[in-house]
Amino acid sequence: MPETAQAVDRLAELADGGPVCELGIGTGRLALPLVARGLPMSGVDSSPEMVAQLRAKPGGEAIRIAVGDFSATSAPGGPFALTVLAFNTIFAVGDTEAQIACFERVAADLSPGGRFVVEAFVLDPRMFHHGQALDIRTMTAEHVELQLMRYDQPTGRIDRVLLNVRGGTVDLHSVNDTYVAPRELDLMARMAGLTIESRWANWNQSPFTAESTRHVSVYAKPR
């Protein structure tokens, strides 16, 4: 997970002491350090198993959590000063309509002047040949990891398989994404009544350029 410490720093700054909500809160990679900084924390996650792991960790009992689809489920404890959707999780939302509904739900649950932060990768179409790509992520004598991708541009659907070969053992992990470009996210935000405030290439706030492979976008609700 990239830049966890830097992400926590930025999120704490943006929250400015107010209550925070994380969509796809998982096992608490971001949430628990924010709780340790004294921020009131809530979240939504569709996995009861991951929520159980979060609850078992120190500080996890202090987080208010709803189990469900965060495009249709509000976290307890709102309205929020900050809502965060990190590490490509926006693409895990089922389809475009659900992604739009997610933005609308977030906007409704933010305080006036509150912020919504989305972190996601930026797709490079040059990777694909006839909609298919092979990416060598790791290649050593002990470990090979390949990412096989198929991209359907009209729907934005990306089917990915991560193939790991380690010690003669082969593991496969499949992921299905609905990709949304940064400008399309901006449009979804505007439809929900939010405006783009900042966009960085990473949590270190490096400038976002045409060569950036990720973005951290900050949307604001009018006061």
Side-chain angles (χ1 to χ4, degrees):
M1 295 294 180
E3 304 168 352
T4 295
Q6 295 92 327
V8 171
D9 287 343
R10 295 292 86 71
L11 294 172
E13 291 171 3
L14 292 168
D16 194 25
V20 180
C21 172
E22 184 178 5
L23 306 180
I25 195 169
T27 59
R29 176 180 69 98
L30 298 176
L32 291 172
L34 290 170
V35 168
R37 295 189 180 208
L39 292 169
M41 194 77 207
S42 300
V44 182
D45 203 283
S46 62
S47 170
E49 293 82 5
M50 295 185 81
V51 171
Q53 289 188 39
L54 171 57
R55 290 286 191 217
K57 295 178 180 179
E61 70 285 348
I63 302 174
R64 291 173 285 191
I65 302 174
V67 176
D69 174 2
F70 57 69
S71 67
T73 303
S74 293
F80 302 104
L82 178 70
T83 295
V84 57
L85 188 52
F87 205 66
N88 312 319
T89 308
I90 183 63
F91 302 148
V93 179
D95 54 30
T96 302
E97 291 301 318
Q99 289 168 337
I100 293 171
C102 174
F103 271 82
E104 292 173 342
R105 175 70 57 182
V106 168
D109 292 341
L110 282 177
S111 302
R115 296 182 174 102
F116 181 31
V117 179
V118 179
E119 177 198 12
F121 67 79
V122 179
L123 187 69
D124 184 355
R126 295 171 296 183
M127 295 176 60
F128 295 89
H129 179 67
H130 297 306
Q132 300 180 9
L134 171 62
D135 181 27
I136 301 174
R137 303 184 69 173
T138 301
M139 188 167 65
T140 68
E142 295 79 24
H143 177 208
V144 174
E145 181 178 4
L146 305 178
Q147 180 173 235
L148 295 84
M149 293 181 286
R150 184 170 54 202
Y151 176 43
D152 182 55
Q153 190 170 9
T155 63
R157 181 182 174 90
I158 303 174
D159 297 315
R160 295 188 288 148
V161 173
L162 300 179
L163 187 153
N164 278 273
V165 182
R166 185 186 286 108
T169 301
V170 178
D171 292 318
L172 295 176
H173 177 64
S174 62
V175 182
N176 300 317
D177 295 319
T178 301
Y179 179 71
V180 190
R183 289 187 65 184
E184 295 172 309
L185 289 172
D186 295 350
L187 179 58
M188 291 181 182
R190 185 170 181 177
M191 292 169 63
L194 306 175
T195 57
I196 184 72
E197 181 179 84
S198 304
R199 174 165 288 136
W200 312 309
N202 49 47
W203 291 106
N204 289 319
Q205 298 178 296
S206 300
F208 181 78
T209 70
E211 299 303 317
S212 298
T213 59
R214 290 190 296 132
H215 69 96
V216 177
S217 299
V218 183
Y219 300 99
K221 183 175 180 176
R223 294 187 178 277

PDB file of all heavy atoms in Angstrom, residues 119-133:
ATOM      1  N   GLU A 119      -8.659   8.569  -4.175  1.00  0.00           N
ATOM      2  CA  GLU A 119      -7.343   8.161  -4.660  1.00  0.00           C
ATOM      3  C   GLU A 119      -7.530   7.009  -5.648  1.00  0.00           C
ATOM      4  O   GLU A 119      -8.214   6.025  -5.337  1.00  0.00           O
ATOM      5  CB  GLU A 119      -6.462   7.689  -3.502  1.00  0.00           C
ATOM      6  CG  GLU A 119      -5.095   7.192  -3.960  1.00  0.00           C
ATOM      7  CD  GLU A 119      -4.396   6.328  -2.919  1.00  0.00           C
ATOM      8  OE1 GLU A 119      -5.040   5.915  -1.938  1.00  0.00           O
ATOM      9  OE2 GLU A 119      -3.198   6.063  -3.104  1.00  0.00           O
ATOM     10  N   ALA A 120      -6.921   7.115  -6.832  1.00  0.00           N
ATOM     11  CA  ALA A 120      -7.101   6.070  -7.835  1.00  0.00           C
ATOM     12  C   ALA A 120      -5.958   6.092  -8.840  1.00  0.00           C
ATOM     13  O   ALA A 120      -5.252   7.097  -8.980  1.00  0.00           O
ATOM     14  CB  ALA A 120      -8.437   6.251  -8.558  1.00  0.00           C
ATOM     15  N   PHE A 121      -5.808   4.984  -9.561  1.00  0.00           N
ATOM     16  CA  PHE A 121      -4.796   4.945 -10.610  1.00  0.00           C
ATOM     17  C   PHE A 121      -5.326   5.620 -11.879  1.00  0.00           C
ATOM     18  O   PHE A 121      -6.542   5.791 -12.050  1.00  0.00           O
ATOM     19  CB  PHE A 121      -4.333   3.511 -10.905  1.00  0.00           C
ATOM     20  CG  PHE A 121      -5.378   2.600 -11.514  1.00  0.00           C
ATOM     21  CD1 PHE A 121      -5.686   2.657 -12.864  1.00  0.00           C
ATOM     22  CD2 PHE A 121      -6.011   1.633 -10.739  1.00  0.00           C
ATOM     23  CE1 PHE A 121      -6.624   1.807 -13.433  1.00  0.00           C
ATOM     24  CE2 PHE A 121      -6.953   0.777 -11.299  1.00  0.00           C
ATOM     25  CZ  PHE A 121      -7.258   0.864 -12.640  1.00  0.00           C
ATOM     26  N   VAL A 122      -4.409   6.006 -12.737  1.00  0.00           N
ATOM     27  CA  VAL A 122      -4.745   6.595 -14.035  1.00  0.00           C
ATOM     28  C   VAL A 122      -4.377   5.579 -15.107  1.00  0.00           C
ATOM     29  O   VAL A 122      -3.229   5.138 -15.192  1.00  0.00           O
ATOM     30  CB  VAL A 122      -3.992   7.921 -14.279  1.00  0.00           C
ATOM     31  CG1 VAL A 122      -4.339   8.487 -15.651  1.00  0.00           C
ATOM     32  CG2 VAL A 122      -4.335   8.935 -13.182  1.00  0.00           C
ATOM     33  N   LEU A 123      -5.350   5.210 -15.904  1.00  0.00           N
ATOM     34  CA  LEU A 123      -5.128   4.204 -16.939  1.00  0.00           C
ATOM     35  C   LEU A 123      -4.347   4.801 -18.107  1.00  0.00           C
ATOM     36  O   LEU A 123      -4.654   5.902 -18.576  1.00  0.00           O
ATOM     37  CB  LEU A 123      -6.472   3.687 -17.434  1.00  0.00           C
ATOM     38  CG  LEU A 123      -6.435   2.502 -18.397  1.00  0.00           C
ATOM     39  CD1 LEU A 123      -5.976   1.252 -17.659  1.00  0.00           C
ATOM     40  CD2 LEU A 123      -7.820   2.272 -18.989  1.00  0.00           C
ATOM     41  N   ASP A 124      -3.341   4.073 -18.568  1.00  0.00           N
ATOM     42  CA  ASP A 124      -2.573   4.479 -19.738  1.00  0.00           C
ATOM     43  C   ASP A 124      -3.010   3.610 -20.920  1.00  0.00           C
ATOM     44  O   ASP A 124      -2.662   2.422 -20.977  1.00  0.00           O
ATOM     45  CB  ASP A 124      -1.077   4.304 -19.475  1.00  0.00           C
ATOM     46  CG  ASP A 124      -0.216   4.800 -20.625  1.00  0.00           C
ATOM     47  OD1 ASP A 124      -0.774   5.194 -21.665  1.00  0.00           O
ATOM     48  OD2 ASP A 124       1.020   4.810 -20.475  1.00  0.00           O
ATOM     49  N   PRO A 125      -3.771   4.162 -21.868  1.00  0.00           N
ATOM     50  CA  PRO A 125      -4.253   3.351 -22.994  1.00  0.00           C
ATOM     51  C   PRO A 125      -3.125   2.749 -23.825  1.00  0.00           C
ATOM     52  O   PRO A 125      -3.337   1.762 -24.537  1.00  0.00           O
ATOM     53  CB  PRO A 125      -5.070   4.357 -23.822  1.00  0.00           C
ATOM     54  CG  PRO A 125      -5.416   5.462 -22.886  1.00  0.00           C
ATOM     55  CD  PRO A 125      -4.264   5.543 -21.943  1.00  0.00           C
ATOM     56  N   ARG A 126      -1.915   3.329 -23.722  1.00  0.00           N
ATOM     57  CA  ARG A 126      -0.803   2.811 -24.508  1.00  0.00           C
ATOM     58  C   ARG A 126      -0.372   1.423 -24.044  1.00  0.00           C
ATOM     59  O   ARG A 126       0.370   0.731 -24.762  1.00  0.00           O
ATOM     60  CB  ARG A 126       0.387   3.781 -24.417  1.00  0.00           C
ATOM     61  CG  ARG A 126       0.115   5.150 -25.042  1.00  0.00           C
ATOM     62  CD  ARG A 126       1.228   6.128 -24.739  1.00  0.00           C
ATOM     63  NE  ARG A 126       1.326   6.403 -23.307  1.00  0.00           N
ATOM     64  CZ  ARG A 126       2.186   7.282 -22.777  1.00  0.00           C
ATOM     65  NH1 ARG A 126       3.017   7.947 -23.566  1.00  0.00           N
ATOM     66  NH2 ARG A 126       2.211   7.468 -21.467  1.00  0.00           N
ATOM     67  N   MET A 127      -0.829   1.004 -22.866  1.00  0.00           N
ATOM     68  CA  MET A 127      -0.493  -0.329 -22.369  1.00  0.00           C
ATOM     69  C   MET A 127      -1.189  -1.423 -23.172  1.00  0.00           C
ATOM     70  O   MET A 127      -0.747  -2.573 -23.181  1.00  0.00           O
ATOM     71  CB  MET A 127      -0.898  -0.477 -20.898  1.00  0.00           C
ATOM     72  CG  MET A 127      -0.164   0.405 -19.916  1.00  0.00           C
ATOM     73  SD  MET A 127      -0.821   0.190 -18.244  1.00  0.00           S
ATOM     74  CE  MET A 127      -0.512  -1.555 -17.960  1.00  0.00           C
ATOM     75  N   PHE A 128      -2.299  -1.074 -23.833  1.00  0.00           N
ATOM     76  CA  PHE A 128      -3.179  -2.093 -24.392  1.00  0.00           C
ATOM     77  C   PHE A 128      -2.988  -2.237 -25.897  1.00  0.00           C
ATOM     78  O   PHE A 128      -2.818  -1.253 -26.618  1.00  0.00           O
ATOM     79  CB  PHE A 128      -4.641  -1.739 -24.089  1.00  0.00           C
ATOM     80  CG  PHE A 128      -4.966  -1.772 -22.624  1.00  0.00           C
ATOM     81  CD1 PHE A 128      -4.799  -0.643 -21.833  1.00  0.00           C
ATOM     82  CD2 PHE A 128      -5.425  -2.933 -22.026  1.00  0.00           C
ATOM     83  CE1 PHE A 128      -5.085  -0.670 -20.480  1.00  0.00           C
ATOM     84  CE2 PHE A 128      -5.713  -2.970 -20.666  1.00  0.00           C
ATOM     85  CZ  PHE A 128      -5.545  -1.832 -19.897  1.00  0.00           C
ATOM     86  N   HIS A 129      -3.050  -3.479 -26.345  1.00  0.00           N
ATOM     87  CA  HIS A 129      -3.037  -3.801 -27.764  1.00  0.00           C
ATOM     88  C   HIS A 129      -4.291  -4.618 -28.044  1.00  0.00           C
ATOM     89  O   HIS A 129      -4.449  -5.718 -27.523  1.00  0.00           O
ATOM     90  CB  HIS A 129      -1.776  -4.599 -28.124  1.00  0.00           C
ATOM     91  CG  HIS A 129      -1.703  -4.975 -29.566  1.00  0.00           C
ATOM     92  ND1 HIS A 129      -1.542  -4.046 -30.577  1.00  0.00           N
ATOM     93  CD2 HIS A 129      -1.780  -6.201 -30.174  1.00  0.00           C
ATOM     94  CE1 HIS A 129      -1.509  -4.655 -31.737  1.00  0.00           C
ATOM     95  NE2 HIS A 129      -1.658  -5.965 -31.526  1.00  0.00           N
ATOM     96  N   HIS A 130      -5.199  -4.046 -28.832  1.00  0.00           N
ATOM     97  CA  HIS A 130      -6.504  -4.664 -29.078  1.00  0.00           C
ATOM     98  C   HIS A 130      -7.221  -4.967 -27.763  1.00  0.00           C
ATOM     99  O   HIS A 130      -7.848  -6.018 -27.596  1.00  0.00           O
ATOM    100  CB  HIS A 130      -6.356  -5.939 -29.908  1.00  0.00           C
ATOM    101  CG  HIS A 130      -5.799  -5.712 -31.274  1.00  0.00           C
ATOM    102  ND1 HIS A 130      -6.351  -4.807 -32.170  1.00  0.00           N
ATOM    103  CD2 HIS A 130      -4.725  -6.249 -31.907  1.00  0.00           C
ATOM    104  CE1 HIS A 130      -5.660  -4.809 -33.296  1.00  0.00           C
ATOM    105  NE2 HIS A 130      -4.650  -5.662 -33.158  1.00  0.00           N
ATOM    106  N   GLY A 131      -7.093  -4.033 -26.816  1.00  0.00           N
ATOM    107  CA  GLY A 131      -7.806  -4.159 -25.549  1.00  0.00           C
ATOM    108  C   GLY A 131      -7.190  -5.102 -24.546  1.00  0.00           C
ATOM    109  O   GLY A 131      -7.794  -5.371 -23.499  1.00  0.00           O
ATOM    110  N   GLN A 132      -5.982  -5.598 -24.804  1.00  0.00           N
ATOM    111  CA  GLN A 132      -5.346  -6.537 -23.892  1.00  0.00           C
ATOM    112  C   GLN A 132      -3.949  -6.054 -23.529  1.00  0.00           C
ATOM    113  O   GLN A 132      -3.302  -5.358 -24.311  1.00  0.00           O
ATOM    114  CB  GLN A 132      -5.271  -7.933 -24.515  1.00  0.00           C
ATOM    115  CG  GLN A 132      -6.628  -8.517 -24.859  1.00  0.00           C
ATOM    116  CD  GLN A 132      -6.539  -9.888 -25.477  1.00  0.00           C
ATOM    117  OE1 GLN A 132      -5.469 -10.484 -25.512  1.00  0.00           O
ATOM    118  NE2 GLN A 132      -7.662 -10.400 -25.953  1.00  0.00           N
ATOM    119  N   ALA A 133      -3.505  -6.433 -22.319  1.00  0.00           N
ATOM    120  CA  ALA A 133      -2.175  -6.007 -21.869  1.00  0.00           C
ATOM    121  C   ALA A 133      -1.596  -7.036 -20.915  1.00  0.00           C
ATOM    122  O   ALA A 133      -2.318  -7.740 -20.199  1.00  0.00           O
ATOM    123  CB  ALA A 133      -2.248  -4.645 -21.186  1.00  0.00           C
TER     124      ALA A 133
END
